[in-house]
Amino acid sequence: MLPFARVSVIGLGLIGSSILRAVREAMPTVHLTGHDGDAAVRETVRALDLCDDVTDTAGTSVTDADLVILCVPVGAMGEVAESIAADLPPEAIVSDVGSSKAGVAAALASALPNNAVVPAHPVAGTERSGPDAGFAALFHHRWCILTPVPGTPEAAVLRVTEFWKRLGAEVETMEPAHHDKVLAITSHLPHLIAYTIVGTASDLESVTQSEVIKYSAGGFRDFTRIAASDPTMWRDVFLTNKDAVLEMLQRFSEDLTALQRAIRWGDGDALFDLFTRTRAVRRSIIEQGQDDGRPDFGRSDH
Amino acid sequence: MLPFARVSVIGLGLIGSSILRAVREAMPTVHLTGHDGDAAVRETVRALDLCDDVTDTAGTSVTDADLVILCVPVGAMGEVAESIAADLPPEAIVSDVGSSKAGVAAALASALPNNAVVPAHPVAGTERSGPDAGFAALFHHRWCILTPVPGTPEAAVLRVTEFWKRLGAEVETMEPAHHDKVLAITSHLPHLIAYTIVGTASDLESVTQSEVIKYSAGGFRDFTRIAASDPTMWRDVFLTNKDAVLEMLQRFSEDLTALQRAIRWGDGDALFDLFTRTRAVRRSIIEQGQDDGRPDFGRSDH
């Protein structure tokens, strides 16, 4: 039996539009409605025929839904939740896809006290934005983390779990605060660092921008991909997961300072030891199917 | 006319073995000899039949060569150059592929005062090591930077230029010290940061290693690829390009501290401004053919 019959997606960018495509593919009988605050995005989704109905207001999109998924920047979650509160059927389950969870879980619970709220985070994405960038396979073999709050009915968690499994994801449940710590190191800090180094490279006087681009194959180009991610989404992530990001950043800075010292004093053994230790992590990620094992991301195959 | 008739490659890892393969493909009449200090590597190269002759000593490999390319870690360049000095024909041109150039250029010029030395750096590679990891197309559309020292005959530079163009590379010439600054930001600092964050993630108590691996698709996995690069090669790069790396690292740390402050004080505009600015760099890299433009490095195509 399908976990939900009528799904509404609010926010139709990369993630929201990928959910629409994935539901169409995996559960074609589900009735899908969608809304986005941007009229141009709504037009694109209508033209791409990604759902049964694209509504002009958020409220209209949820009136008959049994699952509502908010796919907006985490800083906008509370406001959007308030905007659907009056139209939301009491039996509808509300979920989201935000990259930070403690703040979002609190905002949703506070705005929608009469509904079951199951915050979720599918750990998947690309550097592209908008409804054109989505695709149905985005969640295949990726993890989706659910962070139910105290009082969430177990049945609601199980239905949302089943929903994500049908989209090809693997599902894990954890405390919102723990999620925010884990993602601070596996996602938020990597993005912050990538944005920083691309900024640093852009500001040099002794090396031209043209040189940075020409010789980027030495490693820099990998960072530019991450630093091309959606600015609004990432601003909100850092503002809403401040404590965990600052903690990880502090540890990273200490470790970087230790390496800086090793370079300054010519301590080759310290460098060699770290560089040897880090190889094993890559192997585990490939073994667990969380990345493509081809060298150089398979670039040379093209 | 071919720029060289008899090429010797010393050091048969990823880069050295790729040069052998690329020469075989682009200039099949060139006589190729090779040597590696590791007997197991020599056996592999013989079994793969990558060159006409694999010699057991470095000196034997260069006796008839008109081009010798040293493909060993930059810390070993001086020693290897000394080991071939007695056997090297005076008309042979000596080059290398090291990732830092000022120190290598000085070491080669000092060890081989009677030969034309044309230091080179093909800005290409993968995270893999060893002769099995090489492939002929590695240098296609990549830049190879030549850093001739004062007194290098122009004819020697032109012949090495022609050699790399035949392997599919584009060639640029610059001062060794400027090369080291450019590569410090486009290659060395990115590697240092990737090694650091993978180390930081491995040392956490509040987040398990298993969680780091499971949720790495959020961005971290990109860093692990770079942090799987050859430890000896990279130790030597940092020890030989100390000044430029420390300068770039200092700038990066300042920029990261500014972002840290913006996060702590909730300055969303500062974050948004940087995150918007960095998107353009990615576009330029793709437009200039220095990276694959498919989202997420084309991972979802597999």
Side-chain angles (χ1 to χ4, degrees):
Chain A
M1 207 188 94
L2 291 176
F4 298 99
R6 304 181 63 86
V7 174
S8 166
V9 177
I10 314 276
L12 303 175
L14 169 68
I15 303 294
S17 76
S18 292
I19 292 176
L20 292 177
R21 289 173 170 97
V23 171
R24 269 276 169 88
E25 197 172 284
M27 297 174 272
T29 59
V30 166
H31 186 270
L32 280 172
T33 61
H35 168 75
D36 193 284
D38 182 334
V41 170
R42 295 198 298 269
E43 267 325 295
T44 302
V45 174
R46 281 188 190 114
L48 292 169
D49 191 24
L50 299 182
C51 56
D52 298 293
D53 197 13
V54 179
T55 66
D56 286 337
T57 68
T60 327
S61 174
V62 305
T63 42
D64 290 324
D66 52 7
L67 173 66
V68 176
I69 310 177
L70 306 186
C71 305
V72 300
V74 288
M77 291 285 183
E79 191 185 326
V80 171
E82 278 163 24
S83 78
I84 61 169
D87 295 293
L88 195 65
E91 67 281 8
I93 294 171
V94 177
S95 187
D96 75 303
V97 297
S99 300
S100 66
K101 295 263 65 93
V104 171
L108 296 185
S110 148
L112 306 167
N114 303 319
N115 287 78
V117 171
V118 183
H121 177 203
V123 185
T126 78
E127 69 276 25
R128 302 287 174 86
S129 311
D132 293 308
F135 54 97
L138 180 60
F139 311 109
H140 288 183
H141 309 301
R142 295 285 84 84
W143 287 90
C144 182
I145 303 173
L146 308 187
T147 61
V149 290
T152 308
E154 182 62 17
V157 177
L158 289 175
R159 284 171 73 192
V160 175
T161 299
E162 177 63 19
F163 176 82
W164 279 104
K165 285 190 172 167
R166 298 242 182 173
L167 302 194
E170 307 201 59
V171 180
E172 189 72 80
T173 297
M174 62 176 76
E175 296 278 322
H178 186 63
H179 165 281
D180 288 356
K181 248 186 223 273
V182 173
L183 272 290
I185 188 71
T186 59
S187 180
H188 306 170
L189 184 57
H191 276 79
L192 190 71
I193 288 169
Y195 279 122
T196 304
I197 192 172
V198 176
T200 304
S202 303
D203 290 343
L204 296 172
E205 316 84 22
S206 57
V207 176
T208 67
Q209 189 73 357
S210 152
E211 287 173 322
V212 167
I213 287 159
K214 276 165 82 170
Y215 309 118
S216 61
F220 182 73
R221 61 180 176 177
D222 284 16
F223 291 69
T224 64
R225 186 188 76 79
I226 294 185
S229 303
D230 187 67
T232 305
M233 171 192 158
W234 282 99
R235 176 199 61 198
D236 285 5
V237 167
F238 294 116
L239 296 180
T240 56
N241 195 22
K242 182 159 86 170
D243 293 346
V245 168
L246 289 177
E247 185 200 326
M248 296 304 170
L249 183 50
Q250 187 57 42
R251 285 168 178 264
F252 170 80
S253 295
E254 286 166 18
D255 293 345
L256 190 60
T257 300
L259 278 190
Q260 181 172 347
R261 191 170 187 283
I263 292 172
R264 193 179 300 280
W265 291 93
D267 183 355
D269 291 346
L271 299 175
F272 186 82
D273 288 349
L274 173 67
F275 299 173
T276 305
R277 197 155 64 88
T278 51
R279 282 193 135 173
V281 176
R282 179 75 186 160
R283 270 197 299 277
S284 303
I285 287 174
I286 290 164
E287 280 162 16
Q288 297 197 17
Q290 290 304 307
D291 206 354
D292 187 333
R294 291 172 303 153
D296 207 20
F297 300 128
R299 282 172 176 127
S300 51
D301 303 351
H302 286 268
Chain B
M1 206 186 94
L2 292 174
F4 299 99
R6 304 181 63 88
V7 174
S8 167
V9 177
I10 314 275
L12 304 175
L14 169 69
I15 303 294
S17 75
S18 293
I19 292 176
L20 292 177
R21 289 173 170 97
V23 172
R24 270 276 170 87
E25 196 173 285
M27 298 174 273
T29 59
V30 167
H31 186 269
L32 280 172
T33 60
H35 168 75
D36 193 284
D38 182 334
V41 170
R42 294 199 296 271
E43 266 326 294
T44 302
V45 173
R46 281 188 189 112
L48 293 169
D49 190 26
L50 298 182
C51 57
D52 298 294
D53 198 13
V54 179
T55 66
D56 286 337
T57 68
T60 328
S61 173
V62 306
T63 42
D64 289 325
D66 53 6
L67 173 66
V68 176
I69 310 177
L70 307 186
C71 305
V72 298
V74 290
M77 291 283 182
E79 192 186 326
V80 172
E82 278 163 25
S83 78
I84 61 169
D87 295 294
L88 195 65
E91 68 280 9
I93 295 172
V94 176
S95 188
D96 75 303
V97 297
S99 301
S100 66
K101 295 265 64 92
V104 171
L108 296 185
S110 148
L112 306 167
N114 302 321
N115 287 78
V117 171
V118 183
H121 176 203
V123 185
T126 79
E127 68 277 25
R128 302 285 174 88
S129 312
D132 293 308
F135 53 96
L138 180 59
F139 311 110
H140 288 183
H141 310 300
R142 294 283 84 84
W143 287 91
C144 182
I145 303 173
L146 308 186
T147 61
V149 290
T152 309
E154 183 62 18
V157 177
L158 289 175
R159 285 172 71 192
V160 175
T161 300
E162 177 62 20
F163 176 83
W164 279 103
K165 284 189 172 168
R166 298 242 183 175
L167 302 194
E170 307 201 60
V171 179
E172 189 71 81
T173 298
M174 60 176 77
E175 296 279 323
H178 186 63
H179 166 281
D180 288 356
K181 247 186 225 274
V182 173
L183 272 290
I185 188 72
T186 60
S187 179
H188 306 171
L189 184 57
H191 276 80
L192 190 71
I193 288 169
Y195 280 122
T196 305
I197 191 171
V198 176
T200 304
S202 304
D203 291 341
L204 296 172
E205 317 84 23
S206 58
V207 176
T208 68
Q209 190 74 355
S210 151
E211 286 174 320
V212 167
I213 286 158
K214 275 165 83 170
Y215 309 118
S216 62
F220 182 72
R221 63 179 177 179
D222 283 16
F223 291 70
T224 65
R225 186 189 75 80
I226 294 185
S229 302
D230 187 69
T232 305
M233 171 191 158
W234 282 99
R235 175 198 63 198
D236 285 4
V237 167
F238 294 116
L239 296 179
T240 57
N241 195 23
K242 183 159 84 170
D243 293 346
V245 169
L246 289 178
E247 186 201 326
M248 296 303 171
L249 184 49
Q250 188 58 42
R251 286 168 178 264
F252 169 80
S253 295
E254 286 167 17
D255 292 345
L256 190 60
T257 300
L259 277 191
Q260 181 171 346
R261 191 172 188 282
I263 292 171
R264 194 178 300 281
W265 292 92
D267 183 354
D269 290 346
L271 300 175
F272 187 83
D273 287 350
L274 173 67
F275 300 173
T276 306
R277 197 155 65 88
T278 50
R279 282 193 135 174
V281 176
R282 180 74 187 160
R283 272 196 299 275
S284 303
I285 287 174
I286 290 164
E287 280 162 16
Q288 296 196 17
Q290 291 303 308
D291 205 353
D292 188 332
R294 290 173 304 154
D296 206 22
F297 300 128
R299 280 170 176 129
S300 52
D301 302 352
H302 287 269

